[in-house]
Amino acid sequence: MSVKKSVFKTGDSMLHFRKLDSENLKLKITGKNEKDWISVSNRFWKSDEDIDRLANQVELPAKEIKKIGCEIEDNGGISEYYSTSLQKITADLVSCKVVIHTQIVGEQAHKVLSPKSIEINCINCSKKFKIDISEKIDLLKDIIFKGSKLEKLLPQALKSIHPPCVDGKDHIFSTDNTEESGYIDYSLLYVIDVLKPTERFDERIAKPRLIHLVNKTIPRAKKVVIYGWVVVNPKTRDICIIANNIEPEETEITNFSLTDEDKKNFSKYFVDEKYALADQINPNIVGEKRKVAKEAVVDVLHSPLTIPDVNGKHIRGGLRVVFIGDTGEAKSSIARYLVGGEPADPSPYVFGNLVIGETSKRTGILYTIDVDKKIIIWGALPLSDTGLVIIDGMQQLHNEDIGQMRESLSSQIIKVDKYVKGQALARTRIIATMNPNKIMGMYTYPVQAISDNRIFFKTPDVRRWDLFITFNKEDVDGKEVIYRKTGEPQISSQVFEQHVNWAWSRKVEQIQYAEESKEKIREFSLKIVEKYEVGDIPVVVGKQISDILCRFSVARACRAHSTDMTHENVIVKEEHVVSAYKFLTGVYDSLS
Ligand SMILES: [Zn+2]
């Protein structure tokens, strides 16, 4: 057994770690007896996130936790940063270096803070020193909070230089003996913890924390990892963070990994669709027509973000579906089932964020601008980037929102280019519900309800959606409701959720079409265009249909857990294309 002993000095006390083997280590705080050594799981050594767990295990006071977090050098995978969440940032962590996974809900376009670095020639010993301002938290604090000029801060900065000057005193400089280079970008970020969205969307973004971001520009992806120092603004006494590094989170599902248990469950419940997946979605809603909507929901839930088309070109994979129809016909109940359900009809699932059309002016579906503070406040679409958003009551969106959405739906990027500037990615799966202008029964063909809505007056707006499903009062008869036939969910919500996570974490290179599938997609696309592309029905448009068929075919392959031994790749087989084709044409038939 190899014994590795490490001692870390942390100011007035010492923390001792004794690594016994790869599995265990012990920890002791100076002044305590040998018997007070505490065993700690090896997980501590693997990731800085586990410092949290360590703190719990050894019941250290917060100040000691801070020391562990701050002072331990990279040793067996521990970073010098203390991994925490915004919620846990308290006065105890002030001056500590932290790493936080967070989400940007608001931002103020960057300006220039100060020079990036400054080179100083000591007049006394003629040595050269380069001070990187973005690494000096004391300087940054004074520049940001007190508006101090850099040259005034230099004497203080020189004190920190080791070794000191020849006479043992501080080095000496004169202002004409310094050289500044580069500039430090400076932005303000308003951030929240990345949480499972169990609360209402607008409540969750109500109390953001402030981050002063230096030396980095704001990424377009709004889920980010932030590295910085916890500081106190001397004027307001608010605890905030000065960050000098920021990285976008790769996907919604970070660190997704498959366990053997998952593989067993997926093979049991999903392969060849042995179980009716539609039964997972709001079992209280019955009727064959409503089952169509639920099938579409299962497809949306199993649509990967980016997929290849039949020629290998990368296209949007995340599905966008509109439920349009009469009120009281369960559009909302089905859609909201994915985001916690309604109070009277709760759901075990929280797959995304909910936007309610009538309140969108306040929260912003894409963004709003705080005119006084010149802050962009991001809305549900960018904040659901790589995830899912439910827009309930889309007919109530404000014209401004509709206009903004028009552009971002095609590019999947939101660009704000007014007196404040910013960009955000919005690669979002969407289920939108809307009421038609008249009751459905008044239209000769259901499809007319779509083009009769101001949101879809323009044909290009229709093309940005993959499927429209209509809800008509006459769809479900009373008998069907009384003798409900919809099955209870056969799959536990945990397993179903994990399978959705699996689908969402599939990368574009993991999605493979069998040769005959590509041929089928081409063949069926042509068939659809020939049969359904009629002048006044704007839903089926030739150029888009092949992409739409690809998206639904991939989703059908995902939901059938069509994979290989690795469970990593998605294999799109002919049967999935056939299934997608049948489903789509069934819906198209119902529209006209
Ligand atoms: Zn000197």
Side-chain angles (χ1 to χ4, degrees), residues 296 300 303 316 318-323 338 365 381 384 387-392 394 405 408-409 426-433 464-467:
V300 172
S303 60
R316 166 172 66 83
L319 284 167
R320 300 169 183 161
V321 173
V322 177
F323 293 169
L338 306 184
I365 190 163
L381 274 185
S384 310
L388 168 77
V389 70
I390 305 294
I391 306 172
D392 199 16
M394 189 159 71
M405 203 159 80
S408 68
L409 284 182
R427 302 158 294 174
T428 317
R429 298 165 191 84
I430 308 175
I431 296 174
T433 75
R464 285 166 188 149
W465 298 85
D466 296 302
L467 193 64

PDB file of all heavy atoms in Angstrom, residues 296 300 303 316 318-323 338 365 381 384 387-392 394 405 408-409 426-433 464-467:
ATOM      1  N   ALA A 296     -46.547  12.981 -31.260  1.00  0.00           N
ATOM      2  CA  ALA A 296     -45.682  14.088 -31.690  1.00  0.00           C
ATOM      3  C   ALA A 296     -44.815  14.556 -30.526  1.00  0.00           C
ATOM      4  O   ALA A 296     -43.638  14.883 -30.706  1.00  0.00           O
ATOM      5  CB  ALA A 296     -46.527  15.231 -32.228  1.00  0.00           C
ATOM      6  N   VAL A 300     -40.810  14.853 -30.333  1.00  0.00           N
ATOM      7  CA  VAL A 300     -40.072  16.066 -29.937  1.00  0.00           C
ATOM      8  C   VAL A 300     -39.066  15.714 -28.836  1.00  0.00           C
ATOM      9  O   VAL A 300     -37.901  16.115 -28.873  1.00  0.00           O
ATOM     10  CB  VAL A 300     -41.028  17.180 -29.456  1.00  0.00           C
ATOM     11  CG1 VAL A 300     -40.238  18.343 -28.871  1.00  0.00           C
ATOM     12  CG2 VAL A 300     -41.911  17.667 -30.593  1.00  0.00           C
ATOM     13  N   SER A 303     -35.873  14.048 -30.119  1.00  0.00           N
ATOM     14  CA  SER A 303     -35.169  14.635 -31.259  1.00  0.00           C
ATOM     15  C   SER A 303     -33.829  15.229 -30.830  1.00  0.00           C
ATOM     16  O   SER A 303     -33.780  16.123 -30.003  1.00  0.00           O
ATOM     17  CB  SER A 303     -36.051  15.701 -31.934  1.00  0.00           C
ATOM     18  OG  SER A 303     -36.392  16.743 -31.049  1.00  0.00           O
ATOM     19  N   ARG A 316     -30.721  21.268 -38.417  1.00  0.00           N
ATOM     20  CA  ARG A 316     -31.411  21.261 -37.129  1.00  0.00           C
ATOM     21  C   ARG A 316     -32.121  19.931 -36.936  1.00  0.00           C
ATOM     22  O   ARG A 316     -32.751  19.419 -37.843  1.00  0.00           O
ATOM     23  CB  ARG A 316     -32.435  22.406 -37.113  1.00  0.00           C
ATOM     24  CG  ARG A 316     -33.453  22.324 -35.995  1.00  0.00           C
ATOM     25  CD  ARG A 316     -34.316  23.575 -35.927  1.00  0.00           C
ATOM     26  NE  ARG A 316     -35.174  23.764 -37.095  1.00  0.00           N
ATOM     27  CZ  ARG A 316     -36.373  23.171 -37.255  1.00  0.00           C
ATOM     28  NH1 ARG A 316     -36.821  22.340 -36.324  1.00  0.00           N
ATOM     29  NH2 ARG A 316     -37.095  23.394 -38.326  1.00  0.00           N
ATOM     30  N   GLY A 318     -33.713  19.280 -33.616  1.00  0.00           N
ATOM     31  CA  GLY A 318     -34.734  19.523 -32.594  1.00  0.00           C
ATOM     32  C   GLY A 318     -36.063  19.899 -33.240  1.00  0.00           C
ATOM     33  O   GLY A 318     -36.127  20.837 -34.031  1.00  0.00           O
ATOM     34  N   LEU A 319     -37.100  19.171 -32.899  1.00  0.00           N
ATOM     35  CA  LEU A 319     -38.392  19.360 -33.570  1.00  0.00           C
ATOM     36  C   LEU A 319     -39.173  20.539 -32.996  1.00  0.00           C
ATOM     37  O   LEU A 319     -39.066  20.847 -31.809  1.00  0.00           O
ATOM     38  CB  LEU A 319     -39.224  18.087 -33.442  1.00  0.00           C
ATOM     39  CG  LEU A 319     -38.820  16.929 -34.365  1.00  0.00           C
ATOM     40  CD1 LEU A 319     -39.486  15.633 -33.926  1.00  0.00           C
ATOM     41  CD2 LEU A 319     -39.182  17.257 -35.812  1.00  0.00           C
ATOM     42  N   ARG A 320     -39.971  21.168 -33.865  1.00  0.00           N
ATOM     43  CA  ARG A 320     -40.866  22.255 -33.472  1.00  0.00           C
ATOM     44  C   ARG A 320     -42.262  21.915 -33.942  1.00  0.00           C
ATOM     45  O   ARG A 320     -42.492  21.773 -35.139  1.00  0.00           O
ATOM     46  CB  ARG A 320     -40.432  23.566 -34.125  1.00  0.00           C
ATOM     47  CG  ARG A 320     -39.036  24.004 -33.746  1.00  0.00           C
ATOM     48  CD  ARG A 320     -38.643  25.145 -34.646  1.00  0.00           C
ATOM     49  NE  ARG A 320     -37.290  25.582 -34.397  1.00  0.00           N
ATOM     50  CZ  ARG A 320     -36.588  26.286 -35.271  1.00  0.00           C
ATOM     51  NH1 ARG A 320     -37.112  26.608 -36.441  1.00  0.00           N
ATOM     52  NH2 ARG A 320     -35.365  26.664 -34.984  1.00  0.00           N
ATOM     53  N   VAL A 321     -43.164  21.793 -32.993  1.00  0.00           N
ATOM     54  CA  VAL A 321     -44.516  21.352 -33.308  1.00  0.00           C
ATOM     55  C   VAL A 321     -45.521  22.364 -32.756  1.00  0.00           C
ATOM     56  O   VAL A 321     -45.325  22.914 -31.671  1.00  0.00           O
ATOM     57  CB  VAL A 321     -44.771  19.951 -32.703  1.00  0.00           C
ATOM     58  CG1 VAL A 321     -46.226  19.543 -32.868  1.00  0.00           C
ATOM     59  CG2 VAL A 321     -43.856  18.909 -33.353  1.00  0.00           C
ATOM     60  N   VAL A 322     -46.559  22.622 -33.532  1.00  0.00           N
ATOM     61  CA  VAL A 322     -47.622  23.533 -33.091  1.00  0.00           C
ATOM     62  C   VAL A 322     -48.915  22.743 -32.882  1.00  0.00           C
ATOM     63  O   VAL A 322     -49.306  21.960 -33.743  1.00  0.00           O
ATOM     64  CB  VAL A 322     -47.872  24.647 -34.146  1.00  0.00           C
ATOM     65  CG1 VAL A 322     -49.024  25.550 -33.702  1.00  0.00           C
ATOM     66  CG2 VAL A 322     -46.610  25.469 -34.368  1.00  0.00           C
ATOM     67  N   PHE A 323     -49.529  22.936 -31.730  1.00  0.00           N
ATOM     68  CA  PHE A 323     -50.879  22.427 -31.489  1.00  0.00           C
ATOM     69  C   PHE A 323     -51.821  23.598 -31.683  1.00  0.00           C
ATOM     70  O   PHE A 323     -51.749  24.584 -30.947  1.00  0.00           O
ATOM     71  CB  PHE A 323     -51.046  21.939 -30.038  1.00  0.00           C
ATOM     72  CG  PHE A 323     -50.238  20.717 -29.681  1.00  0.00           C
ATOM     73  CD1 PHE A 323     -50.130  20.322 -28.345  1.00  0.00           C
ATOM     74  CD2 PHE A 323     -49.610  19.933 -30.651  1.00  0.00           C
ATOM     75  CE1 PHE A 323     -49.397  19.197 -27.984  1.00  0.00           C
ATOM     76  CE2 PHE A 323     -48.882  18.800 -30.301  1.00  0.00           C
ATOM     77  CZ  PHE A 323     -48.771  18.431 -28.961  1.00  0.00           C
ATOM     78  N   LEU A 338     -45.088  18.301 -20.008  1.00  0.00           N
ATOM     79  CA  LEU A 338     -43.627  18.169 -20.123  1.00  0.00           C
ATOM     80  C   LEU A 338     -42.886  19.123 -19.199  1.00  0.00           C
ATOM     81  O   LEU A 338     -41.673  19.034 -19.049  1.00  0.00           O
ATOM     82  CB  LEU A 338     -43.187  18.436 -21.565  1.00  0.00           C
ATOM     83  CG  LEU A 338     -43.886  17.590 -22.630  1.00  0.00           C
ATOM     84  CD1 LEU A 338     -43.301  17.883 -23.985  1.00  0.00           C
ATOM     85  CD2 LEU A 338     -43.753  16.114 -22.297  1.00  0.00           C
ATOM     86  N   ILE A 365     -39.891  36.506 -24.827  1.00  0.00           N
ATOM     87  CA  ILE A 365     -39.668  35.155 -25.312  1.00  0.00           C
ATOM     88  C   ILE A 365     -38.261  35.046 -25.891  1.00  0.00           C
ATOM     89  O   ILE A 365     -37.608  34.025 -25.773  1.00  0.00           O
ATOM     90  CB  ILE A 365     -40.765  34.745 -26.317  1.00  0.00           C
ATOM     91  CG1 ILE A 365     -40.672  33.266 -26.623  1.00  0.00           C
ATOM     92  CG2 ILE A 365     -40.753  35.561 -27.576  1.00  0.00           C
ATOM     93  CD1 ILE A 365     -41.897  32.714 -27.259  1.00  0.00           C
ATOM     94  N   LEU A 381     -36.432  31.420 -25.022  1.00  0.00           N
ATOM     95  CA  LEU A 381     -35.786  30.664 -26.102  1.00  0.00           C
ATOM     96  C   LEU A 381     -34.278  30.553 -25.918  1.00  0.00           C
ATOM     97  O   LEU A 381     -33.750  29.451 -25.917  1.00  0.00           O
ATOM     98  CB  LEU A 381     -36.118  31.266 -27.467  1.00  0.00           C
ATOM     99  CG  LEU A 381     -37.413  30.801 -28.146  1.00  0.00           C
ATOM    100  CD1 LEU A 381     -37.523  31.403 -29.536  1.00  0.00           C
ATOM    101  CD2 LEU A 381     -37.483  29.288 -28.248  1.00  0.00           C
ATOM    102  N   SER A 384     -33.382  28.400 -23.006  1.00  0.00           N
ATOM    103  CA  SER A 384     -33.659  26.976 -23.189  1.00  0.00           C
ATOM    104  C   SER A 384     -32.792  26.400 -24.296  1.00  0.00           C
ATOM    105  O   SER A 384     -33.085  25.330 -24.818  1.00  0.00           O
ATOM    106  CB  SER A 384     -35.129  26.766 -23.543  1.00  0.00           C
ATOM    107  OG  SER A 384     -35.963  27.446 -22.638  1.00  0.00           O
ATOM    108  N   GLY A 387     -32.295  22.832 -25.173  1.00  0.00           N
ATOM    109  CA  GLY A 387     -33.334  22.119 -24.437  1.00  0.00           C
ATOM    110  C   GLY A 387     -34.691  22.230 -25.114  1.00  0.00           C
ATOM    111  O   GLY A 387     -34.786  22.177 -26.341  1.00  0.00           O
ATOM    112  N   LEU A 388     -35.710  22.386 -24.283  1.00  0.00           N
ATOM    113  CA  LEU A 388     -37.094  22.411 -24.771  1.00  0.00           C
ATOM    114  C   LEU A 388     -37.816  23.617 -24.192  1.00  0.00           C
ATOM    115  O   LEU A 388     -37.611  23.971 -23.037  1.00  0.00           O
ATOM    116  CB  LEU A 388     -37.815  21.135 -24.312  1.00  0.00           C
ATOM    117  CG  LEU A 388     -39.337  21.089 -24.472  1.00  0.00           C
ATOM    118  CD1 LEU A 388     -39.731  20.815 -25.923  1.00  0.00           C
ATOM    119  CD2 LEU A 388     -39.938  20.010 -23.568  1.00  0.00           C
ATOM    120  N   VAL A 389     -38.650  24.237 -25.019  1.00  0.00           N
ATOM    121  CA  VAL A 389     -39.502  25.283 -24.485  1.00  0.00           C
ATOM    122  C   VAL A 389     -40.941  25.022 -24.921  1.00  0.00           C
ATOM    123  O   VAL A 389     -41.198  24.556 -26.032  1.00  0.00           O
ATOM    124  CB  VAL A 389     -38.987  26.696 -24.887  1.00  0.00           C
ATOM    125  CG1 VAL A 389     -39.159  26.966 -26.361  1.00  0.00           C
ATOM    126  CG2 VAL A 389     -39.670  27.777 -24.082  1.00  0.00           C
ATOM    127  N   ILE A 390     -41.868  25.256 -24.004  1.00  0.00           N
ATOM    128  CA  ILE A 390     -43.290  25.149 -24.309  1.00  0.00           C
ATOM    129  C   ILE A 390     -43.831  26.572 -24.371  1.00  0.00           C
ATOM    130  O   ILE A 390     -43.685  27.328 -23.403  1.00  0.00           O
ATOM    131  CB  ILE A 390     -44.043  24.384 -23.183  1.00  0.00           C
ATOM    132  CG1 ILE A 390     -43.425  23.014 -22.915  1.00  0.00           C
ATOM    133  CG2 ILE A 390     -45.538  24.275 -23.506  1.00  0.00           C
ATOM    134  CD1 ILE A 390     -43.535  22.025 -24.031  1.00  0.00           C
ATOM    135  N   ILE A 391     -44.395  26.941 -25.497  1.00  0.00           N
ATOM    136  CA  ILE A 391     -45.035  28.260 -25.612  1.00  0.00           C
ATOM    137  C   ILE A 391     -46.540  28.029 -25.591  1.00  0.00           C
ATOM    138  O   ILE A 391     -47.107  27.499 -26.541  1.00  0.00           O
ATOM    139  CB  ILE A 391     -44.625  28.988 -26.910  1.00  0.00           C
ATOM    140  CG1 ILE A 391     -43.101  29.074 -27.036  1.00  0.00           C
ATOM    141  CG2 ILE A 391     -45.249  30.384 -26.955  1.00  0.00           C
ATOM    142  CD1 ILE A 391     -42.617  29.616 -28.381  1.00  0.00           C
ATOM    143  N   ASP A 392     -47.163  28.379 -24.491  1.00  0.00           N
ATOM    144  CA  ASP A 392     -48.595  28.113 -24.337  1.00  0.00           C
ATOM    145  C   ASP A 392     -49.375  29.384 -24.646  1.00  0.00           C
ATOM    146  O   ASP A 392     -49.176  30.415 -24.009  1.00  0.00           O
ATOM    147  CB  ASP A 392     -48.878  27.626 -22.898  1.00  0.00           C
ATOM    148  CG  ASP A 392     -50.216  26.914 -22.804  1.00  0.00           C
ATOM    149  OD1 ASP A 392     -50.757  26.532 -23.868  1.00  0.00           O
ATOM    150  OD2 ASP A 392     -50.718  26.734 -21.689  1.00  0.00           O
ATOM    151  N   MET A 394     -49.617  30.785 -28.001  1.00  0.00           N
ATOM    152  CA  MET A 394     -48.743  31.546 -28.889  1.00  0.00           C
ATOM    153  C   MET A 394     -49.494  32.667 -29.601  1.00  0.00           C
ATOM    154  O   MET A 394     -48.890  33.668 -29.986  1.00  0.00           O
ATOM    155  CB  MET A 394     -48.075  30.615 -29.905  1.00  0.00           C
ATOM    156  CG  MET A 394     -46.988  31.282 -30.725  1.00  0.00           C
ATOM    157  SD  MET A 394     -45.809  30.149 -31.459  1.00  0.00           S
ATOM    158  CE  MET A 394     -46.777  29.369 -32.722  1.00  0.00           C
ATOM    159  N   MET A 405     -38.951  36.471 -33.283  1.00  0.00           N
ATOM    160  CA  MET A 405     -38.912  35.021 -33.380  1.00  0.00           C
ATOM    161  C   MET A 405     -38.715  34.589 -34.828  1.00  0.00           C
ATOM    162  O   MET A 405     -38.030  33.619 -35.102  1.00  0.00           O
ATOM    163  CB  MET A 405     -40.208  34.432 -32.815  1.00  0.00           C
ATOM    164  CG  MET A 405     -40.058  33.010 -32.356  1.00  0.00           C
ATOM    165  SD  MET A 405     -41.345  32.559 -31.198  1.00  0.00           S
ATOM    166  CE  MET A 405     -42.679  32.236 -32.309  1.00  0.00           C
ATOM    167  N   SER A 408     -35.032  34.421 -35.595  1.00  0.00           N
ATOM    168  CA  SER A 408     -34.227  33.491 -34.816  1.00  0.00           C
ATOM    169  C   SER A 408     -34.606  32.037 -35.081  1.00  0.00           C
ATOM    170  O   SER A 408     -33.788  31.145 -34.918  1.00  0.00           O
ATOM    171  CB  SER A 408     -34.354  33.794 -33.326  1.00  0.00           C
ATOM    172  OG  SER A 408     -35.662  33.501 -32.916  1.00  0.00           O
ATOM    173  N   LEU A 409     -35.842  31.795 -35.525  1.00  0.00           N
ATOM    174  CA  LEU A 409     -36.225  30.410 -35.781  1.00  0.00           C
ATOM    175  C   LEU A 409     -35.444  29.834 -36.962  1.00  0.00           C
ATOM    176  O   LEU A 409     -35.137  28.651 -36.980  1.00  0.00           O
ATOM    177  CB  LEU A 409     -37.728  30.282 -36.044  1.00  0.00           C
ATOM    178  CG  LEU A 409     -38.662  30.356 -34.839  1.00  0.00           C
ATOM    179  CD1 LEU A 409     -40.093  30.166 -35.277  1.00  0.00           C
ATOM    180  CD2 LEU A 409     -38.295  29.326 -33.769  1.00  0.00           C
ATOM    181  N   ALA A 426     -30.142  29.929 -29.827  1.00  0.00           N
ATOM    182  CA  ALA A 426     -31.483  29.458 -29.448  1.00  0.00           C
ATOM    183  C   ALA A 426     -31.788  28.190 -30.242  1.00  0.00           C
ATOM    184  O   ALA A 426     -32.641  28.180 -31.118  1.00  0.00           O
ATOM    185  CB  ALA A 426     -32.519  30.535 -29.702  1.00  0.00           C
ATOM    186  N   ARG A 427     -31.038  27.152 -29.937  1.00  0.00           N
ATOM    187  CA  ARG A 427     -31.254  25.865 -30.611  1.00  0.00           C
ATOM    188  C   ARG A 427     -32.229  25.066 -29.749  1.00  0.00           C
ATOM    189  O   ARG A 427     -31.834  24.257 -28.937  1.00  0.00           O
ATOM    190  CB  ARG A 427     -29.913  25.128 -30.759  1.00  0.00           C
ATOM    191  CG  ARG A 427     -28.878  25.929 -31.545  1.00  0.00           C
ATOM    192  CD  ARG A 427     -27.486  25.470 -31.228  1.00  0.00           C
ATOM    193  NE  ARG A 427     -27.152  25.758 -29.841  1.00  0.00           N
ATOM    194  CZ  ARG A 427     -26.011  25.358 -29.259  1.00  0.00           C
ATOM    195  NH1 ARG A 427     -25.135  24.647 -29.937  1.00  0.00           N
ATOM    196  NH2 ARG A 427     -25.774  25.653 -27.994  1.00  0.00           N
ATOM    197  N   THR A 428     -33.496  25.330 -29.967  1.00  0.00           N
ATOM    198  CA  THR A 428     -34.481  24.884 -28.995  1.00  0.00           C
ATOM    199  C   THR A 428     -35.572  24.026 -29.627  1.00  0.00           C
ATOM    200  O   THR A 428     -36.109  24.379 -30.665  1.00  0.00           O
ATOM    201  CB  THR A 428     -35.146  26.120 -28.343  1.00  0.00           C
ATOM    202  OG1 THR A 428     -34.140  27.082 -28.054  1.00  0.00           O
ATOM    203  CG2 THR A 428     -35.841  25.748 -27.074  1.00  0.00           C
ATOM    204  N   ARG A 429     -35.871  22.910 -28.986  1.00  0.00           N
ATOM    205  CA  ARG A 429     -37.076  22.150 -29.352  1.00  0.00           C
ATOM    206  C   ARG A 429     -38.271  22.969 -28.861  1.00  0.00           C
ATOM    207  O   ARG A 429     -38.203  23.538 -27.771  1.00  0.00           O
ATOM    208  CB  ARG A 429     -37.072  20.795 -28.656  1.00  0.00           C
ATOM    209  CG  ARG A 429     -35.906  19.907 -29.060  1.00  0.00           C
ATOM    210  CD  ARG A 429     -35.749  18.737 -28.092  1.00  0.00           C
ATOM    211  NE  ARG A 429     -34.483  18.029 -28.322  1.00  0.00           N
ATOM    212  CZ  ARG A 429     -33.316  18.403 -27.801  1.00  0.00           C
ATOM    213  NH1 ARG A 429     -33.249  19.436 -26.987  1.00  0.00           N
ATOM    214  NH2 ARG A 429     -32.217  17.743 -28.084  1.00  0.00           N
ATOM    215  N   ILE A 430     -39.321  23.014 -29.652  1.00  0.00           N
ATOM    216  CA  ILE A 430     -40.471  23.839 -29.246  1.00  0.00           C
ATOM    217  C   ILE A 430     -41.778  23.077 -29.439  1.00  0.00           C
ATOM    218  O   ILE A 430     -41.972  22.437 -30.469  1.00  0.00           O
ATOM    219  CB  ILE A 430     -40.562  25.155 -30.062  1.00  0.00           C
ATOM    220  CG1 ILE A 430     -39.234  25.918 -30.044  1.00  0.00           C
ATOM    221  CG2 ILE A 430     -41.673  26.052 -29.519  1.00  0.00           C
ATOM    222  CD1 ILE A 430     -39.232  27.153 -30.936  1.00  0.00           C
ATOM    223  N   ILE A 431     -42.637  23.160 -28.435  1.00  0.00           N
ATOM    224  CA  ILE A 431     -44.038  22.792 -28.628  1.00  0.00           C
ATOM    225  C   ILE A 431     -44.834  24.043 -28.307  1.00  0.00           C
ATOM    226  O   ILE A 431     -44.718  24.592 -27.202  1.00  0.00           O
ATOM    227  CB  ILE A 431     -44.467  21.622 -27.731  1.00  0.00           C
ATOM    228  CG1 ILE A 431     -43.676  20.359 -28.107  1.00  0.00           C
ATOM    229  CG2 ILE A 431     -45.970  21.360 -27.880  1.00  0.00           C
ATOM    230  CD1 ILE A 431     -43.928  19.176 -27.184  1.00  0.00           C
ATOM    231  N   ALA A 432     -45.584  24.525 -29.291  1.00  0.00           N
ATOM    232  CA  ALA A 432     -46.373  25.738 -29.091  1.00  0.00           C
ATOM    233  C   ALA A 432     -47.848  25.389 -29.213  1.00  0.00           C
ATOM    234  O   ALA A 432     -48.227  24.584 -30.054  1.00  0.00           O
ATOM    235  CB  ALA A 432     -45.989  26.785 -30.133  1.00  0.00           C
ATOM    236  N   THR A 433     -48.653  25.974 -28.341  1.00  0.00           N
ATOM    237  CA  THR A 433     -50.100  25.783 -28.470  1.00  0.00           C
ATOM    238  C   THR A 433     -50.720  27.110 -28.844  1.00  0.00           C
ATOM    239  O   THR A 433     -50.223  28.159 -28.447  1.00  0.00           O
ATOM    240  CB  THR A 433     -50.749  25.319 -27.153  1.00  0.00           C
ATOM    241  OG1 THR A 433     -50.824  26.441 -26.264  1.00  0.00           O
ATOM    242  CG2 THR A 433     -49.940  24.212 -26.483  1.00  0.00           C
ATOM    243  N   ARG A 464     -41.073  27.421 -40.797  1.00  0.00           N
ATOM    244  CA  ARG A 464     -40.098  27.277 -39.711  1.00  0.00           C
ATOM    245  C   ARG A 464     -40.548  26.268 -38.669  1.00  0.00           C
ATOM    246  O   ARG A 464     -39.845  26.013 -37.711  1.00  0.00           O
ATOM    247  CB  ARG A 464     -39.842  28.637 -39.071  1.00  0.00           C
ATOM    248  CG  ARG A 464     -38.970  29.442 -40.007  1.00  0.00           C
ATOM    249  CD  ARG A 464     -38.881  30.901 -39.706  1.00  0.00           C
ATOM    250  NE  ARG A 464     -38.166  31.514 -40.826  1.00  0.00           N
ATOM    251  CZ  ARG A 464     -38.341  32.733 -41.270  1.00  0.00           C
ATOM    252  NH1 ARG A 464     -39.210  33.507 -40.680  1.00  0.00           N
ATOM    253  NH2 ARG A 464     -37.658  33.189 -42.282  1.00  0.00           N
ATOM    254  N   TRP A 465     -41.739  25.712 -38.877  1.00  0.00           N
ATOM    255  CA  TRP A 465     -42.256  24.698 -37.954  1.00  0.00           C
ATOM    256  C   TRP A 465     -42.321  23.361 -38.671  1.00  0.00           C
ATOM    257  O   TRP A 465     -42.514  23.304 -39.876  1.00  0.00           O
ATOM    258  CB  TRP A 465     -43.636  25.126 -37.444  1.00  0.00           C
ATOM    259  CG  TRP A 465     -43.560  26.408 -36.677  1.00  0.00           C
ATOM    260  CD1 TRP A 465     -43.582  27.673 -37.195  1.00  0.00           C
ATOM    261  CD2 TRP A 465     -43.390  26.555 -35.257  1.00  0.00           C
ATOM    262  NE1 TRP A 465     -43.454  28.608 -36.178  1.00  0.00           N
ATOM    263  CE2 TRP A 465     -43.339  27.942 -34.985  1.00  0.00           C
ATOM    264  CE3 TRP A 465     -43.292  25.656 -34.199  1.00  0.00           C
ATOM    265  CZ2 TRP A 465     -43.181  28.446 -33.697  1.00  0.00           C
ATOM    266  CZ3 TRP A 465     -43.150  26.152 -32.921  1.00  0.00           C
ATOM    267  CH2 TRP A 465     -43.082  27.539 -32.678  1.00  0.00           C
ATOM    268  N   ASP A 466     -42.170  22.290 -37.907  1.00  0.00           N
ATOM    269  CA  ASP A 466     -42.117  20.973 -38.542  1.00  0.00           C
ATOM    270  C   ASP A 466     -43.474  20.322 -38.699  1.00  0.00           C
ATOM    271  O   ASP A 466     -43.673  19.519 -39.610  1.00  0.00           O
ATOM    272  CB  ASP A 466     -41.203  20.045 -37.723  1.00  0.00           C
ATOM    273  CG  ASP A 466     -39.779  20.534 -37.725  1.00  0.00           C
ATOM    274  OD1 ASP A 466     -39.209  20.678 -38.827  1.00  0.00           O
ATOM    275  OD2 ASP A 466     -39.240  20.813 -36.639  1.00  0.00           O
ATOM    276  N   LEU A 467     -44.397  20.633 -37.797  1.00  0.00           N
ATOM    277  CA  LEU A 467     -45.679  19.947 -37.869  1.00  0.00           C
ATOM    278  C   LEU A 467     -46.756  20.748 -37.145  1.00  0.00           C
ATOM    279  O   LEU A 467     -46.494  21.361 -36.109  1.00  0.00           O
ATOM    280  CB  LEU A 467     -45.553  18.554 -37.218  1.00  0.00           C
ATOM    281  CG  LEU A 467     -46.710  17.574 -37.466  1.00  0.00           C
ATOM    282  CD1 LEU A 467     -46.810  17.221 -38.948  1.00  0.00           C
ATOM    283  CD2 LEU A 467     -46.535  16.305 -36.644  1.00  0.00           C
TER     284      LEU A 467
END
